Amino acid sequence: MTQKTFTKAIVIFDIDGVVRDVSGSYRRAIADTVEYFTTQAYRPTPLDIDQLKSEGVWNNDWEASQELIYRYFETQKQSREQLQLDYTAIVAFFQSRYRGSDPNNFTGYICNEPLLLQPSYLEQLTEAGIAWGFFSGATRASANYVLEKRLGLESPVLIAMEDAPGKPDPTGLFATVRELENGIEERLAIVYVGDTVADMYTVEKARSLDSTRTWVGVGVLPPHVQETAARSDAYSETLIAAGAAVVLPNVQELTPKQIQKLVSSSPQSVF
């Protein structure tokens, strides 16, 4: 069988909302944390969290939780200076819900995250000559749990929370590219796949700092926004406005053929 030749490229994936469904884990932990620190007065809805994330700077869910707590109390005429929230306590409570209370084993919401892609999809990319890796705002332990334990990947290229500043700072994206390009002389096109405005802003910032290569942002609709067509459409429009070249309902629809098409049709394309 003759193997098809596709445009060489690097595809880098966000993890939360792309590789795994976090609506019942990370986002549930955000809601739990905000509810706890507002003494049960306010529990943010999924739409509340999406609206915050659409601002493009709240990729870190601990910081997002703190911000939602602050904003609630501001509606109650209390200033941030008055509150003096304990960020360490917020992180600890969040982690007790997401990871669980056992410091040596994951027992929390993380254990029940549905997977959004299968290893066979990544094998298709490899067979097509497309390198791939991961850049995520998740902690390394959480990211490795899904990549290595759940998906069975062996030491995948991963830049996690501890390795780089939070998105939309593109430092971590550049670091992932360097690892994947190790030993490759040509400058390959980069496709970054994410589910938030911050992910698309990261691609835009990377492009502004390195215009010598092709950068393509691909949006993916997280499962929790696909409950209604109106919500899906609104979320898609938000990602496109933030710079996504295309928005897909599932990451596995980003086939080698689709990658070739996106890279070749990019205004920056060097092919």
Side-chain angles (χ1 to χ4, degrees):
M1 182 176 179
T2 303
Q3 184 176 8
K4 294 181 180 180
T5 301
F6 293 98
T7 302
K8 288 184 178 180
I10 287 174
V11 179
I12 299 172
F13 301 96
D14 179 31
I15 293 176
D16 302 333
V18 176
V19 175
R20 60 181 171 190
D21 179 3
V22 296
S23 58
S25 56
Y26 269 126
R27 286 170 179 263
R28 183 180 176 189
I30 290 175
D32 286 358
T33 303
V34 174
E35 185 176 47
Y36 179 80
F37 283 92
T38 60
T39 59
Q40 284 69 52
Y42 169 54
R43 183 178 181 86
T45 66
L47 185 58
D48 291 337
I49 296 170
D50 283 342
Q51 288 176 336
L52 182 75
K53 295 273 188 180
S54 72
E55 296 175 12
V57 293
W58 304 108
N59 191 66
N60 183 310
D61 288 338
W62 302 334
E63 294 175 357
S65 298
Q66 177 177 249
E67 182 63 17
L68 286 168
I69 296 165
Y70 272 132
R71 292 189 187 187
Y72 166 75
F73 281 112
E74 285 175 335
T75 68
Q76 306 303 305
K77 310 303 181 184
Q78 295 187 50
S79 70
R80 298 186 181 217
E81 291 72 22
Q82 286 175 299
L83 291 172
Q84 295 184 332
L85 294 176
D86 184 343
Y87 182 68
T88 301
I90 290 172
V91 172
F93 183 88
F94 183 104
Q95 292 295 80
S96 74
R97 292 297 189 269
Y98 179 69
R99 293 182 56 151
S101 56
D102 185 341
N104 300 312
N105 297 288
F106 287 142
T107 58
Y109 300 156
I110 187 175
C111 299
N112 301 313
E113 295 170 331
L115 295 176
L116 301 175
L117 64 73
Q118 298 301 319
S120 57
Y121 166 71
L122 298 172
E123 291 168 8
Q124 290 174 16
L125 298 185
T126 300
E127 290 171 2
I130 297 170
W132 49 268
F134 303 90
F135 167 43
S136 171
T139 63
R140 179 164 286 274
S142 170
N144 275 333
Y145 178 81
V146 66
L147 297 180
E148 297 185 356
K149 185 169 183 177
R150 300 282 308 282
L151 286 172
L153 305 180
E154 294 185 13
S155 302
V157 170
L158 167 66
I159 297 297
M161 176 191 286
E162 299 91 335
D163 307 317
K167 293 178 278 189
D169 187 311
T171 302
L173 184 59
F174 288 138
T176 315
V177 170
R178 283 196 299 273
E179 285 201 36
L180 290 167
E181 270 192 337
N182 186 28
I184 301 175
E185 294 184 5
E186 59 187 310
R187 293 173 64 76
L188 302 178
I190 308 299
V191 178
Y192 185 53
V193 189
D195 70 315
T196 67
V197 168
D199 294 325
M200 299 305 108
Y201 283 176
T202 301
V203 177
E204 297 292 310
K205 288 179 179 289
R207 184 182 297 119
S208 70
L209 292 171
D210 180 6
S211 60
T212 64
R213 71 162 88 231
T214 298
W215 298 90
V216 179
V218 172
V220 171
L221 294 176
H224 75 273
V225 306
Q226 298 189 50
E227 294 173 0
T228 67
R231 186 90 185 278
S232 295
D233 291 345
Y235 200 95
S236 295
E237 290 171 6
T238 299
L239 291 179
I240 289 171
V246 66
V247 178
L248 305 171
N250 179 267
V251 63
Q252 294 183 133
E253 292 191 18
L254 185 65
T255 62
K257 186 175 181 179
Q258 173 83 316
I259 292 166
Q260 180 190 33
K261 180 180 177 182
L262 287 168
V263 169
S264 299
S265 62
S266 170
Q268 290 180 292
S269 180
V270 295
F271 298 98

